[in-house]
Amino acid sequence: MGSRFIVLDGPDGCGKTTQARLLVNALEQAGVEVMHTHEPGGTPAGERIRQVLLDPATGELDPLTEALLFCADRAQHVSTVIKPALDQGKTVVCDRFASSTAVYQGYAGGLGFEPAQRLNDIATGGLQPDLLIVLDIDLAHARERMDEERLDRIEQYTEDFHDRVRQGFIEYARLLGERAVVLDGNRPVDEVHEEIMQIIESGWKPDPRAK
Ligand code: TYD
């Protein structure tokens, strides 16, 4: 089996990290060499960028500044972690990726999809996921999963912003066509996991990188 790049993304509190872990375990048990990573912060420098982005003490950031910081994290992550792993034939499962910048800064933050995508293209060198799994969730349900006392700088954005994030992910997945799926993340963890495994097992298309 060739290398695959799978991204899990969605609004805050959608359960993507739990699902990514379950997916990684299942793939490992099936004998797939898999690496689990995340953004922001999948590298040592990225961890520092993450702190700037998520610490409420940073204060307000212009969406362009925010996007550039997420893209700086992404450029480092792609070149030093994701690409080397894919080149070694590993499957990479990543929590959040370019989709988050397109949606949070581009769609919800007002920078616009297009400018956000241009920055993403520079940061990723054109690398795109083979499959983007978006977990859609009701805002109220998502809030229940979050610790109100310890919301990070972006989680503290208005409800309106997070509504647009939810919309933005659906719109983004639509633009991506068959390389993206939107799943109902309001359901029990096991049910969502089962659906993800069905998609991976049945829709496991030939690796576009393999010649
Ligand atoms: P994440 O690490 O998924 O949050 P947590 O670990 O708390 O579940 O993401 C941190 C926040 O950063 C989240 O609110 C989404 C936001 N974000 C963007 O706004 N743009 C981006 O490009 C990325 C990668 C994340």
Side-chain angles (χ1 to χ4, degrees):
M1 187 186 281
S3 61
R4 294 290 190 288
F5 182 27
I6 303 167
V7 172
L8 277 106
D9 214 337
D12 289 272
C14 68
K16 66 186 162 36
T17 306
T18 304
Q19 290 302 333
R21 286 205 191 106
L22 290 170
L23 171 60
V24 166
N25 286 343
L27 289 174
E28 276 173 350
Q29 289 196 348
V32 178
E33 250 204 290
V34 51
M35 193 193 65
H36 185 191
T37 186
H38 67 278
E39 291 189 0
T43 65
E47 271 307 321
R48 306 186 72 150
I49 299 172
R50 178 185 172 93
Q51 279 169 22
V52 173
L53 280 161
L54 300 188
D55 186 348
T58 297
E60 215 173 297
L61 287 179
D62 179 84
L64 176 59
T65 312
E66 224 176 71
L68 286 166
L69 285 168
F70 279 113
C71 283
D73 168 65
R74 183 159 306 125
Q76 183 72 6
H77 192 211
V78 167
S79 65
T80 66
V81 176
I82 299 177
K83 260 199 115 270
L86 292 172
D87 288 345
Q88 287 167 22
K90 291 184 184 151
T91 284
V92 174
V93 174
C94 188
D95 293 17
R96 300 201 184 278
F97 193 62
S99 32
S100 273
T101 301
V103 170
Y104 279 81
Q105 285 67 50
Y107 190 89
L111 179 63
F113 257 149
E114 269 293 304
Q117 283 296 75
R118 286 210 296 275
L119 297 179
N120 275 331
D121 281 346
I122 296 169
T124 61
L127 177 72
Q128 296 196 15
D130 298 305
L131 178 64
L132 168 68
I133 300 170
V134 169
L135 298 180
D136 181 44
I137 188 154
D138 286 339
L139 216 58
H141 195 172
R143 286 271 155 182
E144 279 169 24
R145 293 180 177 178
M146 284 154 43
D147 181 354
E148 288 289 336
E149 304 273 294
R150 301 180 50 197
L151 295 183
D152 67 38
R153 198 182 63 83
I154 291 180
E155 285 165 349
Q156 286 177 5
Y157 282 178
T158 62
E159 271 190 34
D160 232 41
F161 177 88
H162 288 287
D163 267 338
R164 290 199 299 279
V165 165
R166 185 180 181 194
Q167 273 310 310
F169 272 115
I170 291 166
E171 185 69 12
Y172 185 88
R174 201 179 54 78
L175 291 175
L176 230 60
E178 61 177 18
R179 278 185 301 113
V181 288
V182 180
L183 306 185
D184 178 1
N186 296 292
R187 295 167 304 156
V189 169
D190 288 357
E191 244 179 70
V192 179
H193 174 60
E194 226 167 87
E195 196 179 0
I196 289 176
M197 291 315 295
Q198 274 168 14
I199 290 164
I200 300 277
E201 279 158 11
S202 65
W204 203 240
K205 300 224 171 71
D207 182 359
R209 276 182 294 270
K211 293 272 147 54

